[in-house]
Amino acid sequence: MLSALARCVTGAPVAVTPTESPSGDPSGEEQETERPSDLLSASPLWDSFIVATELHEKKFEEEFQNQVKHQFLDDYKFPSPQAGCPSLNFSKESCLHRLVQGLLKYQVLLKHVEKEYPRNSMLPDGKLYNLAPLISLIKEKMKHPERVTALTSSQEEQLLKELVNPDTFHRKMTAYNILHQLRLFLIDGKRAVARKEVLRGSLANNLLGSYSVL
């Protein structure tokens, strides 16, 4: 690396051989720098959706008056999306791709929530039922947003069909669990993206420091 940097200083061309990340994206892409105001994890929009999902807990307590504990929601399973960034070995691009795919699936699952709790009954402005602004924000930070694939109409139909249940209480618990898991998905996703952005900043600063020493 020192010899490569030395050639940069003397004006000689440097051959760069990118290494492949698990997603197939060059790891060198992770060394780009962003201003703090441009960081995805610092977006107020992301935080607004996290706050919106937090409000469902108060709604849950009001509806069931401590007759049902919030932690029992995990007993009502549904086909939840995969974790956005399962390991540190994932590139930022892979992480963002998984997040968008997950949010697209949650956008369909929210149709079940809205069916049980129409807009303005769960949340005052019904904002939570539309994840499109957050999805668009994340896609803007992707290098290859065209690789994102939306669910087909048949896939959406099958996904919602799996949530059908004749028992009203079961359907309500499933709806609340979707909101609960969406909240965790948003929080974990933001933390993972923040780690990626911090890593990229550290790599860039170290590289600049090497140049300054030379």
Side-chain angles (χ1 to χ4, degrees):
M1 180 176 179
L2 289 176
S3 61
L5 290 174
R7 287 198 297 273
C8 286
V9 175
T10 59
V14 179
V16 179
T17 303
T19 56
E20 293 295 320
S21 66
S23 66
D25 293 319
S27 61
E29 294 180 354
E30 300 294 336
Q31 296 183 13
E32 297 176 3
T33 58
E34 290 179 295
R35 294 173 299 177
S37 59
D38 293 333
L39 296 180
L40 177 59
S41 61
S43 170
L45 180 62
W46 198 317
D47 287 334
S48 70
F49 276 96
I50 292 177
V51 171
T53 55
E54 182 180 6
L55 297 176
H56 86 277
E57 295 186 17
K58 181 179 180 182
K59 175 69 176 179
F60 180 90
E61 293 172 357
E62 292 175 352
E63 181 171 357
F64 297 105
Q65 298 294 317
N66 294 323
Q67 295 179 8
V68 182
K69 298 299 182 182
H70 189 268
Q71 57 264 34
F72 292 159
L73 291 180
D74 289 335
D75 294 335
Y76 296 85
K77 305 296 182 182
F78 66 93
S80 58
Q82 294 178 309
C85 307
S87 72
L88 294 177
N89 292 328
F90 260 54
S91 68
K92 184 184 177 184
E93 180 73 6
S94 298
C95 179
L96 297 183
H97 185 274
R98 290 280 288 268
L99 286 172
V100 172
Q101 293 290 167
L103 289 174
L104 286 172
K105 191 171 184 178
Y106 270 114
Q107 184 68 79
V108 177
L109 292 169
L110 285 172
K111 293 181 180 181
H112 171 81
V113 181
E114 186 174 7
K115 184 177 180 180
E116 297 301 318
Y117 296 95
R119 290 174 184 259
N120 302 325
S121 65
M122 175 64 75
L123 298 171
D125 59 1
K127 171 184 179 179
L128 184 60
Y129 293 118
N130 182 21
L131 298 174
L134 181 58
I135 292 173
S136 296
L137 176 67
I138 297 175
K139 289 177 71 174
E140 289 174 2
K141 297 294 185 179
M142 295 179 63
K143 299 186 185 308
H144 301 288
E146 72 280 359
R147 295 179 182 176
V148 173
T149 56
L151 275 70
T152 64
S153 57
S154 59
Q155 288 175 325
E156 289 189 15
E157 183 179 351
Q158 179 60 35
L159 183 59
L160 293 173
K161 187 177 180 180
E162 294 181 40
L163 303 179
V164 174
N165 192 291
D167 184 74
T168 302
F169 180 79
H170 187 283
R171 294 197 307 271
K172 287 181 178 290
M173 290 295 101
T174 300
Y176 274 111
N177 194 25
I178 290 173
L179 294 176
H180 175 60
Q181 296 302 327
L182 172 57
R183 173 173 169 74
L184 298 179
F185 185 87
L186 291 171
I187 292 175
D188 292 343
K190 178 180 177 178
R191 287 173 178 168
V193 171
R195 287 195 297 268
K196 297 294 183 184
E197 290 172 334
V198 168
L199 176 61
R200 291 174 68 187
S202 298
L203 289 173
N205 290 334
N206 289 338
L207 187 58
L208 288 175
S210 298
Y211 275 112
S212 64
V213 170
L214 293 173

